[in-house]
Amino acid sequence: MKTLIKYLKSIKTDKFFIFLLATIVLGLMLRLLPDTHEIIWSYDQARDSFVMREMIANLDVKLIGPQTEIYGLFHGPLFYYLIGPFLYISKGEVGLAVLVMTLLTYSSIIPLSLLAYKITKNKLSILLTILIFSISYQFIEYARWISNVSVAIPFLAWTYFFYYQVLSKTDSKLNYYLLGISVGLASQGELFLLSLAGIIFLFLIANKKSIKQIFLYGVGGATGIFPLLVSELRFKFRGLSFIGDILLNPSVGSDLNVILNIYLEHIGLTIAQVVGGVNYLMAYSVLFVLALCFYKLFLSNLSSIKRNTLLTFILTILLSHLSLFFLSLVNNPFLDMEIAVLLILLLSLLITKLFERSKFTAYLVIGLIVILQFNNYKKFVIDNRPLDHFGFIQESSTLSHKEQILDRIYTYTDGRDFTFVSIGTPYGVRTVWASVFEIYSRNNSKRIPKWYGYHANGYPGEDILEIAQEPEKVHILLIESNIDTLLAKPIIDQEISNQNTHTKVVDEVVLYGNKIQFRDKL
């Protein structure tokens, strides 16, 4: 790092800094210009918003964060502490949190560009790394996702930086400790990154690192996940028992073909959203060409020591990522963040080498990536389809989608009091719509209705959507999209029957697959 700073100070021209500044401004604009309400807003986001604000208000110390997709297993509380204060200040309005998350995730350009420079010793790799990260659709989406997933990204980037430092046999023992802290903090953001921590540990042993060096890595890792360690002691290692069950009962026994198909689907998705590709076939073709070029133009020209170091680095990440598909984990795009970050780095190394061989080809590749990524930006950000709804259960996945539903409702009610109920998932839980009504009513000076219908108690936000004992003269029943595949038909029929007992449908509209039934009290 000192070498880089010394080199940058010696640069006589301002062109590099002008392009660097312009690229950073572009990256921030792509993330901040869209409406801050055009963000993923599901039960997780609504729940976390209430939990974080209550945590700050009550000065509550959290040892665990949001629950993972596996019941009983929790992420670390890092996400709560980094984002909670800003949601508390803004009283649940998301704009400030989006700004903070954008700056946090965008800071990943620092370790990634430093790593690219360390490998190439070419300042052009710094600019290319920042450019590719700035326009990469998937990282634009993560910057606008109020989620523990996004918090993990900058710490994952620092993990890569310090891991390469360690593999390069850097003398500083501090790198081992910082590597442990980085992967520990990343694992707080997304618990499955513990797999990366474990794979790194095995590779450190395989590379014959000293006991002291491995110990420093372990101490750093323990520091990074310290709150989780305390919670494990407090709750008698309940989390470790869940992890043990997952490791002892992996999904590999079910069907290797299924696992392979899911893995290839994720690779295609990641290539398309990080590098470019109109479809998966094109994405696989892009991957093949890039891998071949990377080997021929970059790897083959490195010294054997540097080549082995880089190959070990890449292999560690590939194995960590692949291992996730042999476990019973959720099928979502964020499983691929390890590969996504690696792609940014490797692509910048390849294009840097292309500039040395053929500037025309290098500019052609950059132009193609820019076109493909701006096509993604148009399809998924401007058209409000985050991550192409991969793994999403509903089309109305964003906060703005849900606010448009409320627009229809308030337009129909026209100032009249009304009651509201949603048949959705989690069934009877008011958390999501409580958060949406809270934000919408504050921004539009509207009265929040009461909830009339089946309700589950003990969930965040239920004090906002209070329970009504009978419907108002105007009653709204929202039947959420895809609910017939998420809830058993008898449950849906029973609730509609209960609604029909006391109200009747006078009008119905469908918006983003959601049925909005306008009803009158009988």
Side-chain angles (χ1 to χ4, degrees):
M1 190 180 297
K2 291 181 180 178
T3 305
L4 174 61
I5 295 173
K6 183 178 179 181
Y7 179 81
L8 292 178
K9 287 181 178 179
S10 68
I11 295 176
K12 302 298 182 182
T13 177
D14 291 330
K15 287 184 180 179
F16 175 82
F17 294 103
I18 291 173
F19 281 117
L20 186 66
L21 181 61
T23 303
I24 292 173
V25 170
L26 172 65
L28 291 174
M29 287 176 61
L30 291 174
R31 288 156 172 77
L32 294 174
L33 282 182
D35 189 336
T36 55
H37 284 202
E38 292 179 358
I39 60 172
I40 297 168
W41 198 258
S42 64
Y43 171 75
D44 289 348
Q45 282 67 51
R47 173 204 63 203
D48 292 341
S49 175
F50 287 123
V51 169
M52 285 188 276
R53 288 152 57 195
E54 184 179 9
M55 178 189 79
I56 300 299
N58 297 333
L59 299 178
D60 188 15
V61 177
K62 295 284 186 183
L63 295 177
I64 56 175
Q67 181 171 295
T68 69
E69 299 291 338
I70 301 171
Y71 180 76
L73 205 55
F74 294 84
H75 301 289
L78 180 65
F79 166 56
Y80 286 170
Y81 289 113
L82 290 177
I83 302 300
F86 302 100
L87 280 171
Y88 176 76
I89 291 170
S90 63
K91 298 179 180 180
E93 177 55 54
V94 297
L96 183 58
V98 170
L99 172 61
V100 173
M101 188 66 83
T102 293
L103 296 176
L104 180 63
T105 57
Y106 199 60
S107 71
S108 304
I109 63 175
I110 298 172
L112 286 178
S113 58
L114 288 175
L115 179 53
Y117 179 79
K118 178 176 178 60
I119 295 171
T120 64
K121 303 301 181 185
N122 187 335
K123 71 179 188 295
L124 181 60
S125 65
I126 298 173
L127 186 59
L128 289 170
T129 302
I130 296 174
L131 173 64
I132 298 168
F133 188 90
S134 295
I135 65 174
S136 172
Y137 161 69
Q138 201 168 94
F139 289 103
I140 291 173
E141 195 64 66
Y142 283 135
R144 298 169 50 77
W145 193 0
I146 309 302
S147 169
N148 53 281
V149 174
S150 299
V151 164
I153 292 173
F155 300 106
L156 179 61
W158 280 111
T159 298
Y160 287 7
F161 174 77
F162 288 116
Y163 184 49
Y164 190 85
Q165 291 277 84
V166 164
L167 291 177
S168 300
K169 295 182 169 60
T170 306
D171 291 336
S172 175
K173 292 182 176 59
L174 181 62
N175 285 325
Y176 291 87
Y177 180 71
L178 294 176
L179 170 61
I181 285 183
S182 299
V183 74
L185 292 174
S187 299
Q188 273 207 58
E190 187 50 64
L191 195 66
F192 73 74
L193 288 175
L194 285 174
S195 67
L196 178 60
I199 298 291
I200 288 176
F201 174 75
L202 295 177
F203 270 87
L204 291 180
I205 295 174
N207 278 268
K208 299 179 180 179
K209 300 298 181 181
S210 69
I211 293 177
K212 183 176 181 180
Q213 291 168 331
I214 295 175
F215 175 76
L216 286 172
Y217 168 70
V219 171
T223 304
I225 61 169
F226 182 74
L228 286 175
L229 293 180
V230 175
S231 70
E232 284 300 288
L233 290 172
R234 182 178 178 182
F235 298 112
K236 299 179 181 179
F237 303 102
R238 187 180 303 172
L240 284 176
S241 67
F242 278 110
I243 293 174
D245 289 340
I246 294 171
L247 294 176
L248 292 174
N249 300 286
S251 59
V252 65
S254 56
D255 193 335
L256 279 173
N257 288 329
V258 172
I259 292 171
L260 180 60
N261 288 335
I262 294 174
Y263 177 74
L264 291 176
E265 184 181 24
H266 276 256
I267 293 296
L269 176 77
T270 305
I271 294 291
Q273 295 188 354
V274 174
V275 180
V278 177
N279 51 46
Y280 288 173
L281 180 60
M282 182 177 177
Y284 295 138
S285 301
V286 168
L287 176 61
F288 177 77
V289 172
L290 289 178
L292 185 62
C293 292
F294 185 77
Y295 176 78
K296 289 288 186 181
L297 297 178
F298 193 83
L299 276 179
S300 61
N301 290 299
L302 294 176
S303 66
S304 60
I305 295 177
K306 275 196 168 185
R307 183 166 58 249
N308 290 337
T309 297
L310 187 56
L311 284 173
T312 301
F313 175 82
I314 295 171
L315 183 60
T316 302
I317 296 167
L318 292 179
L319 286 177
S320 173
H321 177 248
L322 181 60
S323 69
L324 300 176
F325 294 87
F326 288 89
L327 304 173
S328 304
L329 297 175
V330 64
N331 184 22
N332 270 326
F334 56 75
L335 280 179
D336 310 315
M337 68 168 69
E338 294 171 273
I339 295 296
V341 175
L342 178 64
L343 279 171
I344 298 290
L345 175 66
L346 298 184
L347 191 57
S348 70
L349 300 181
L350 174 59
I351 299 177
T352 300
K353 181 59 69 173
L354 278 177
F355 267 102
E356 297 175 5
R357 296 292 187 90
S358 171
K359 288 186 178 181
F360 174 77
T361 305
Y363 281 120
L364 188 64
V365 171
I366 292 174
L368 181 61
I369 292 172
V370 169
I371 292 171
L372 291 172
Q373 286 307 314
F374 274 96
N375 179 59
N376 282 340
Y377 191 82
K378 194 271 177 189
K379 286 196 301 182
F380 305 139
V381 177
I382 296 177
D383 292 347
N384 206 11
R385 288 182 56 85
L387 298 171
D388 199 21
H389 286 161
F390 183 91
F392 284 27
I393 58 175
Q394 293 177 332
E395 186 181 348
S396 53
S397 57
T398 69
L399 179 57
S400 64
H401 284 141
K402 292 175 173 63
E403 288 179 320
Q404 289 174 54
I405 292 173
L406 295 197
D407 280 336
R408 289 289 186 96
I409 292 173
Y410 278 102
T411 298
Y412 177 84
T413 56
D414 193 26
R416 295 172 291 174
D417 288 340
F418 65 95
T419 45
F420 171 88
V421 70
S422 169
I423 301 179
T425 181
Y427 180 51
V429 175
R430 291 163 276 165
T431 304
V432 173
W433 287 105
S435 69
V436 178
F437 271 109
E438 179 190 37
I439 294 170
Y440 187 93
S441 65
R442 184 188 303 119
N443 292 338
N444 297 277
S445 301
K446 300 292 185 181
R447 185 178 300 176
I448 297 176
K450 289 186 177 182
W451 179 284
Y452 175 75
Y454 175 79
H455 57 278
N457 292 322
Y459 290 86
E462 58 188 25
D463 57 321
I464 292 174
L465 274 179
E466 297 177 0
I467 300 301
Q469 298 304 315
E470 60 181 36
E472 291 281 357
K473 291 181 179 180
V474 178
H475 178 63
I476 309 298
L477 169 61
L478 177 66
I479 304 174
E480 297 184 11
S481 62
N482 296 334
I483 197 60
D484 54 339
T485 62
L486 299 169
L487 277 179
K489 190 175 185 300
I491 296 177
I492 299 173
D493 291 343
Q494 180 181 359
E495 179 59 24
I496 292 178
S497 175
N498 291 338
Q499 294 289 318
N500 291 338
T501 302
H502 302 284
T503 63
K504 66 177 181 178
V505 179
V506 295
D507 197 5
E508 179 179 291
V509 297
V510 178
L511 186 61
Y512 302 117
N514 300 276
K515 292 180 182 179
I516 309 173
Q517 291 187 351
F518 303 103
R519 292 170 167 251
D520 284 348
K521 181 180 180 181
L522 291 176

